[in-house]
Amino acid sequence: MGGPLARAYHLLQRIDLGPERDSGRGPLLEFNVGSHPGDDTHYVNAKDMLSLSLLQARLIDLKLPIKNRGSLSP
């Protein structure tokens, strides 16, 4: 399934992270595929530190032993 970025992408796509992604509630995450044509790299970015915190809280609520290492979008 690829490296850690791809694994995070596929894991987070499968779990219930709470309110719909575009609702403004819950973690604001960007699910990306590739950064240029022909690039099929999968990765997830958090929009801000609050989103990282909300994501970690949701993972704890789901009893998933995952710690986010955080990546913020520019």
Side-chain angles (χ1 to χ4, degrees):
M1 188 182 301
L5 296 177
R7 288 194 306 268
Y9 176 97
H10 293 290
L11 171 75
L12 293 175
Q13 283 280 34
R14 289 191 311 256
I15 63 175
D16 177 10
L17 295 174
E20 290 297 317
R21 287 186 201 142
D22 297 330
S23 71
R25 299 176 60 207
L28 298 175
L29 304 175
E30 293 178 339
F31 288 79
N32 303 288
V33 177
S35 57
H36 54 79
D39 179 8
D40 66 349
T41 304
H42 291 71
Y43 58 98
V44 180
N45 283 331
K47 293 297 265 179
D48 51 35
M49 293 302 291
L50 177 59
S51 293
L52 287 175
S53 180
L54 290 170
L55 173 59
Q56 186 66 55
R58 183 65 180 146
L59 294 172
I60 290 168
D61 286 346
L62 294 172
K63 297 183 179 13
L64 295 172
I66 301 166
K67 292 183 182 176
N68 67 55
R69 296 199 179 165
S71 172
L72 295 177
S73 297

